[in-house]
């Protein structure tokens, strides 16, 4: 399902979180993806799986620098000045201050903060959006209407799982 969506949309970059393991060899990507994408060798392990970014083969030369934010993100500095970040920030409502600190660290030195794009599983709650906008100048994408995490629909966990729905996956610029 994910591969089909990627191939249909053909984005410049694909930001993956919660991978069971990173793609560390060229031949590890499914052949249909490997024909179009390269997985960056840089990756990091978050609180739940690995974070890795794939770049379309026609765009790979436009990536000037890659930066790892240990345990929560991968940053790409593009030759046109855009900074894009693939993140999986700290979980749980009690970690709001930690998430804000993690987001605050997402900067390439001496780069224009107006050219910043944060994508992925931010784990932020709706009540945190205002502080992100005020303190970081990041504006959330308003088009997200449905929950991105729905434990009621998740059949892979037992009855002891905490039941809730949330919109954790965000894009911000």
């Amino acid at each position: 399902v994910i591969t089909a969506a990627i191939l249909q949309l053909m984005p410049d970059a694909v930001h993956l979180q919660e991978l069971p393991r990173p793609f560390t060899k060229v031949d590890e990507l499914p052949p249909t993806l490997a024909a179009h994408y390269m997985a960056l060798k840089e990756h990091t392990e978050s609180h739940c799986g690995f974070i890795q970014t794939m770049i379309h083969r026609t765009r790979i030369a436009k990536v000037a620098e890659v930066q790892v934010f240990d345990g929560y993100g991968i940053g790409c500095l593009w030759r046109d000045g855009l900074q894009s970040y693939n993140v999986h920030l700290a979980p749980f409502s009690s970690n709001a201050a930690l998430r804000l600190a993690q987001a605050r660290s997402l900067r390439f030195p001496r780069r224009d903060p107006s050219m910043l794009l944060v994508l992925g599983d931010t784990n932020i709650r709706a009540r945190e959006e205002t502080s992100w906008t005020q303190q970081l100048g990041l504006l959330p994408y308003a088009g997200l209407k449905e929950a991105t995490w729905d434990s009621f629909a998740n059949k892979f966990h037992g009855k002891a799982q905490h039941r809730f729905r949330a919109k954790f996956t965000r894009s911000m610029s």
Side-chain angles (χ1 to χ4, degrees):
V1 173
I2 294 171
T3 299
I6 292 169
L7 293 173
Q8 179 183 3
L9 297 171
M10 286 294 197
D12 291 347
V14 178
H15 301 286
L16 302 168
Q17 304 90 33
E18 298 189 18
L19 290 171
R21 62 182 176 75
F23 299 109
T24 56
K25 297 180 180 132
V26 174
D27 61 351
E28 288 184 327
L29 282 178
T32 53
L33 283 179
H36 303 283
Y37 289 91
M38 292 178 63
L40 296 177
K41 69 179 188 313
E42 294 86 353
H43 60 275
T44 189
E45 188 170 9
S46 73
H47 61 275
C48 182
F50 287 87
I51 303 166
Q52 193 162 30
T53 299
M54 297 187 313
I55 306 292
H56 195 281
R57 289 184 177 275
T58 62
R59 305 289 188 267
I60 195 73
K62 295 184 180 192
V63 176
E65 185 181 341
V66 178
Q67 189 173 9
V68 175
F69 296 86
D70 195 35
Y72 61 93
I74 303 292
C76 289
L77 175 61
W78 298 77
R79 295 200 187 282
D80 64 2
L82 176 68
Q83 304 167 67
S84 66
Y85 297 90
N86 176 10
V87 300
H88 195 190
L89 302 182
F92 310 122
S93 58
S94 60
N95 282 326
L98 176 56
R99 279 189 292 280
L100 193 61
Q102 288 173 329
R104 190 174 280 121
S105 75
L106 299 175
R107 298 281 193 277
F108 280 91
R110 300 173 307 285
R111 297 295 173 185
D112 181 356
S114 70
M115 295 282 289
L116 184 82
L117 184 61
V118 178
L119 304 157
D121 189 347
T122 62
N123 275 314
I124 70 169
R125 279 49 180 177
R127 65 184 173 273
E128 295 173 56
E129 286 183 356
T130 301
S131 65
W132 277 54
T133 299
Q134 291 172 345
Q135 295 184 40
L136 302 173
L138 291 172
L139 302 173
Y141 170 65
L144 190 61
K145 303 286 187 236
E146 297 178 16
T148 59
W149 178 262
D150 185 352
S151 66
F152 295 95
N154 186 343
K155 305 301 181 203
F156 299 105
H157 297 286
K159 293 180 181 181
Q161 177 185 356
H162 178 66
R163 306 299 238 173
F164 69 102
R165 290 184 180 97
K167 299 178 198 173
F168 291 149
T169 303
R170 298 274 203 280
S171 61
M172 302 183 147
S173 61

